[in-house]
Amino acid sequence: MTAGQALLAVLWSGLTLYALLAGADFGAGFWDLFAGRGGAGRTRRDLIEHVIGPVWEANHVWLIFVLVLLWTGFPSVFAAVMSTLYVPLTLAALGIIGRGAAFAFRKASTVPWQQRVFGATFAVSSVLTPFFLGAVAGAIASGRVPPGLATGDLVRSWWNPTSWLGGVLAIGTCAYLATAYLCGDARRLAGTDVAEWYRRRALGTGVVVGVVALGGIAVLRSDAPGLFHGLTHRALPLVVASAVAGVASLILLALRRYLLVRFTAAAAVTAIVWGWAVAQYPHMLPPDTDYAAAQADQAVLVDTLIVTGVGTLILLPSLAWLLVLFQRSPRQSHRARQP
Amino acid sequence: MGWGVLARAVSPGDLVAAREQMALSLGWHIVLACFGVGLPGLTAFMEWRGIRTGKAEYTALAHRWSKAMGVLFAVGAVSGTILSFEMGLLWPGLMGTYGQVIGLPFALEGFAFFIEAVFVGIYLYGWDRLSPRVHLLTAVPVAVSGVASAFFVVCANAWMNQPRGFDLVDGKLTSVRPWAAMFNPATAPETIHMILAAFMVTGFGTAAVYAVGLLRGRRDVYHRLGFLVPFTFAAIVTPLQIAAGDYAARFLAGYQPAKLAAIEGVPQTGSHIPLHIGGVWQDGRLRYALEIPDGLSLLVGYKPSTVVQGLDKVPVADRAPVTVVHLAFDLMVGIGFGLLALGLWLALTWWRRRDLPRYRWFLRLCVLAGLAAPAALESGWVVTEVGRQPWVVYGVLRTADAVNPAPGLVGGLVLVAATYLVLTVATVYVLRRIARAGRDEEPPIDAPQEPEPSEAIP
């Protein structure tokens, strides 16, 4: 394995983790939008706030990590993507601001109408951001981002059938991951009613995402034949694995095995993210730009890999502590302190 | 359709728009970033004093500040993310070639920020999940990685002023040496100056909130401590910062003389160069300025015969706009010395009678200091960034050659400006509410951020 391949794998792992972790946070925002009115809606929203509050910032950093590794390891690809896809990426960036800031503001405000305004901003940008990021993925995967600065079509590069599919699948995947994770949290923290509410939506979203993905095959066949070929040949095992994990998740949801669902749902998403990578390897910008032609100087690749390795050694235990700490109950419960 | 904006041809206006957008996003984020660097340490100090002395006010202030930290960190995190987008959205000509040269400090910054985000989560939400000791300890990685992030990211900016660690052969980049790029000659002066600036902005900014309370007659222990601790911290940092600023300016004389010439408006190379305060650049010289004979020569080399390079050595096309850079520099230095005087005033009064100055003007000036410190910070960045123009990478790449050639960047600027306007209003409003809630609540208060499980989830 060359240093370039290794960095590509690290980059893609970062992207996968962003999809699995931050994706679920965006999905939680999606459900915040559709949580309903009144006391029941409030309970569902409180659960979302409670669960993603401590972790969303850390989950969000994976995106920065991916951007930095991309411009360090494959600078010309970064420049081509960012310059041609200026419009959707600017909108995604604004969505990121709206989501994060409004979430923090809602938590800090106590006046109902403000909570509603911040909550609506949080929820709407949680839907728009994944859409634009998915559209960007569709633009790259369908070969609409040529090398060079802003050489692609500034609108049609990301406003086309594959990008629509990417955007809708991104929203659906985020929403699905969120419900798959939230079922267990709901049962533990908020009771069976809330858990059942999320379970029904997990089942429904799972089916919808599956149908969209199947229908997407037809879209890709006509709109992105290169990607279609890759997905149906070299990446086929991963596509099948994703489908199997998806069906398994639905069965486990039906059986209310919420802990296992987390793993199968994450596996389904991981398999399709890597399926995309395998389908277009070694191209970074299909149809012609290879990773090898775009990669940075050997010294840069090696030093970045070393820094990433050392950084990960410090980061992973910290991250694990964060995620585990807030899965446990508080040390001294508020409930116990109150009369 | 709205695409009309995008269909326009490329215009020089797009370069201006890109620069404005970058200046706005960077200038906005940098203030938040300062609190990310300085506030964790201050908060942890209060928490530690609370544990040591048992004084409820310390603990109450620590709770209150950690709540503000939650908001500031969230907004800082997202506004920082936008910057990494904008590196590519606006400056693909820079990143497409040199992204790999400055990638290393950014990767390191990524990890530092990651660790900060993890421990901020633990610290803010862990009040009732960890023992007081362990909780206090979790602030250490937050404070350390905050300072580390600032260091790494300013390393990248230092490289733009002193590009090192690569060779250009026929316009192609070869033999990149990432560590040499990161530790370039500007790294030490720039990073020290910025980290100290972050401490000052945090200290004076936080103290100003309580100075307002003191002015309104709330002279309780809570407000006095909330004022005194951050103010004292910032006042101690101020003289160090003035020394660091002097070091940074003299560094320019040796390494980036074109910038120093723009800062001081020096038309001709020579000795016995005076120091100008104020003024505007007209017809190749500074007019209406207060002139101190031999001042600049003395500052640069400690003797009047020191030769300082002037703008005559810089081709006209490579000169930075003098008036903006010069006035921004004077504003920064003026504020710096004003803050020093304010700190000395408190020190003198405290030495004589262990109390705050009785003059209401002292507190009014302290409120002003909370705004002046970030103003000095912004002026400093204007000096660094505008003073480097027309280069984005000094002597290597022009800003005009780095900008995204896509049309319609003006549209992005309008959207971003509108977003930041809303964001500013909301941030200030929410922070004010947090401060007010802290005053109204009886200390000790509830754990911040953590929703009451009994109420949140019935």
Side-chain angles (χ1 to χ4, degrees):
Chain A
M1 193 192 251
T2 66
Q5 287 171 321
L7 195 65
L8 201 57
V10 171
L11 182 91
W12 212 252
S13 307
L15 189 72
T16 309
L17 285 165
Y18 181 66
L20 292 178
L21 298 168
D25 295 341
F26 281 119
F30 176 91
W31 292 114
D32 195 282
L33 192 60
F34 297 107
R37 302 175 70 88
R42 204 187 119 90
T43 312
R44 293 172 201 136
R45 286 196 180 87
D46 285 341
L47 176 73
I48 288 167
E49 188 161 312
H50 183 80
V51 170
I52 76 172
V55 296
W56 74 266
E57 279 158 327
N59 292 342
H60 165 77
V61 185
W62 288 111
L63 178 64
I64 300 175
F65 183 74
V66 168
L67 287 174
V68 169
L69 286 190
L70 184 59
W71 85 48
T72 308
F74 309 92
S76 59
V77 171
F78 174 77
V81 169
M82 300 305 276
S83 58
T84 287
L85 299 174
Y86 169 77
V87 178
L89 284 166
T90 299
L91 295 172
L94 295 179
I96 286 169
I97 292 192
R99 192 280 297 248
F103 181 75
F105 292 159
R106 177 169 78 172
K107 206 160 185 78
S109 66
T110 45
V111 187
W113 74 264
Q114 288 166 8
Q115 288 182 328
R116 273 199 296 276
V117 170
F118 290 139
T121 310
F122 159 66
V124 170
S125 30
S126 294
V127 177
L128 291 180
T129 309
F131 176 82
F132 289 119
L133 292 178
V136 165
I140 297 169
S142 60
R144 287 180 165 99
V145 180
L149 302 188
T151 43
D153 190 304
L154 291 182
V155 175
R156 268 170 299 191
S157 57
W158 61 277
W159 194 250
N160 59 66
T162 306
S163 285
W164 298 330
L165 177 68
V168 171
L169 268 182
I171 295 176
T173 308
C174 290
Y176 172 64
L177 280 177
T179 48
Y181 299 167
L182 279 168
C183 285
D185 294 320
R187 186 164 61 186
R188 194 164 45 87
L189 296 163
T192 321
D193 284 357
V194 184
E196 283 301 307
W197 190 87
Y198 280 113
R199 174 174 163 267
R200 284 194 297 276
R201 271 141 197 91
L203 285 165
T205 322
V207 171
V208 170
V209 172
V211 169
V212 172
L214 283 176
I217 293 174
V219 174
L220 293 186
R221 192 177 174 159
S222 64
D223 193 58
L227 179 66
F228 177 80
H229 182 83
L231 285 174
T232 49
H233 289 78
R234 189 167 32 171
L236 191 62
L238 283 163
V239 175
V240 171
S242 178
V244 169
V247 172
S249 304
L250 292 179
I251 295 170
L252 289 167
L253 276 169
L255 298 173
R256 296 186 178 79
R257 301 292 299 270
Y258 296 146
L259 186 63
L260 288 174
V261 168
R262 290 180 179 220
F263 292 102
T264 52
V269 176
T270 305
I272 204 65
V273 170
W274 282 82
W276 170 26
V278 169
Q280 74 169 55
Y281 183 84
H283 304 307
M284 278 190 96
L285 297 177
D288 299 318
T289 309
D290 282 11
Y291 80 91
Q295 72 189 15
D297 199 281
Q298 183 71 11
V300 175
L301 297 174
V302 171
D303 287 353
T304 309
L305 282 170
I306 291 171
V307 160
T308 308
V310 174
T312 309
L313 282 182
I314 304 171
L315 177 66
L316 282 187
S318 318
L319 205 55
W321 190 31
L322 172 74
L323 295 175
V324 170
L325 185 64
F326 294 102
Q327 286 291 319
R328 285 204 312 251
S329 299
R331 197 178 129 91
Q332 34 172 160
S333 156
H334 279 87
R335 222 184 290 261
R337 252 193 275 153
Q338 278 166 357
Chain B
M1 272 301 286
W3 307 130
V5 182
L6 298 168
R8 270 181 338 105
V10 190
S11 76
D14 284 331
L15 172 61
V16 176
R19 287 185 60 192
E20 296 293 329
Q21 185 178 330
M22 198 68 194
L24 172 66
S25 332
L26 200 58
W28 206 93
H29 174 71
I30 193 76
V31 178
L32 278 287
C34 284
F35 283 90
V37 174
L39 199 53
L42 272 181
T43 309
F45 177 79
M46 292 313 233
E47 188 184 356
W48 173 69
R49 293 299 298 161
I51 294 172
R52 281 296 296 269
T53 65
K55 255 192 189 170
E57 285 84 359
Y58 280 117
T59 313
L61 283 163
H63 277 290
R64 193 51 35 196
W65 292 354
S66 80
K67 196 150 195 162
M69 196 158 84
V71 170
L72 290 168
F73 189 78
V75 180
V78 292
S79 61
T81 307
I82 304 323
L83 290 172
S84 43
F85 272 73
E86 285 171 341
M87 295 293 277
L89 294 173
L90 303 175
W91 313 110
L94 165 68
M95 301 311 286
T97 309
Y98 297 101
Q100 56 170 308
V101 185
I102 48 171
L104 187 69
F106 280 113
L108 286 162
E109 196 265 350
F111 275 106
F113 180 62
F114 219 139
I115 287 165
E116 192 179 1
V118 166
F119 281 95
V120 159
I122 295 174
Y123 184 79
L124 295 182
Y125 290 81
W127 287 90
D128 61 349
R129 286 169 189 264
L130 300 165
S131 72
R133 229 181 111 81
V134 174
H135 183 260
L136 178 59
L137 283 176
T138 60
V140 174
V142 180
V144 171
S145 52
V147 173
S149 313
F151 172 78
F152 293 134
V153 103
V154 177
C155 281
N157 185 271
W159 177 86
M160 290 160 70
N161 285 297
Q162 294 294 316
R164 297 289 192 279
F166 64 95
D167 296 325
L168 279 178
V169 179
D170 302 328
K172 272 199 75 81
L173 201 65
T174 56
S175 55
V176 181
R177 303 173 296 281
W179 295 100
M182 182 171 158
F183 292 100
N184 60 73
T187 300
E190 266 203 49
T191 52
I192 293 171
H193 201 41
M194 178 60 220
I195 290 167
L196 294 180
F199 290 156
M200 283 175 70
V201 168
T202 310
F204 286 119
T206 309
V209 175
Y210 298 92
V212 172
L214 290 167
L215 268 174
R216 291 185 179 155
R218 283 184 284 271
R219 297 195 159 251
D220 47 31
V221 179
Y222 179 82
H223 281 84
R224 285 172 60 90
L225 285 176
F227 171 77
L228 269 173
V229 173
F231 189 90
T232 308
F233 170 65
I236 292 170
V237 173
T238 304
L240 302 175
Q241 175 69 319
I242 290 173
D246 177 59
Y247 165 43
R250 272 186 293 111
F251 165 82
L252 289 181
Y255 284 85
Q256 224 172 334
K259 192 187 269 187
L260 185 67
I263 287 174
E264 293 297 347
V266 182
Q268 296 293 328
T269 306
S271 60
H272 298 276
I273 301 289
L275 185 70
H276 289 102
I277 297 170
V280 285
W281 183 257
Q282 272 178 355
D283 310 323
R285 66 191 184 92
L286 266 180
R287 302 182 67 177
Y288 319 114
L290 178 68
E291 194 174 309
I292 301 169
D294 298 342
L296 188 58
S297 287
L298 279 169
L299 279 176
V300 169
Y302 308 115
K303 48 183 195 287
S305 59
T306 309
V307 174
V308 180
Q309 188 184 311
L311 285 167
D312 57 327
K313 291 277 175 66
V314 185
V316 177
D318 293 353
R319 291 181 191 167
V322 173
T323 306
V324 177
V325 178
H326 175 63
L327 291 181
F329 183 81
D330 281 359
L331 181 64
M332 170 183 74
V333 174
I335 292 174
F337 279 97
L339 294 173
L340 181 72
L342 206 56
L344 288 174
W345 188 351
L346 175 68
L348 205 64
T349 317
W350 196 265
W351 175 59
R352 282 168 53 187
R353 47 181 193 85
R354 303 277 143 200
D355 200 1
L356 295 174
R358 287 203 193 88
Y359 303 94
R360 289 180 68 77
W361 265 108
F362 173 75
L363 288 173
R364 288 198 188 111
L365 287 172
C366 290
V367 176
L368 187 65
L371 301 170
L377 170 84
E378 300 288 357
S379 309
W381 277 105
V382 168
V383 173
T384 311
E385 295 296 292
V386 182
R388 196 190 56 238
Q389 300 303 323
W391 305 101
V392 64
V393 182
Y394 183 58
V396 175
L397 181 70
R398 283 172 193 278
T399 313
D401 297 328
V403 73
N404 189 347
L409 298 189
V410 178
L413 170 64
V414 171
L415 266 181
V416 168
T419 308
Y420 274 87
L421 182 68
V422 176
L423 194 61
T424 308
V425 172
T427 307
V428 171
Y429 179 82
V430 169
L431 285 175
R432 283 182 56 119
R433 281 202 63 89
I434 290 177
R436 207 172 308 153
R439 194 178 72 219
D440 298 342
E441 277 168 36
E442 288 294 313
I445 47 166
D446 62 321
Q449 301 282 328
E450 181 74 358
E452 301 269 330
S454 52
E455 140 200 348
I457 296 147

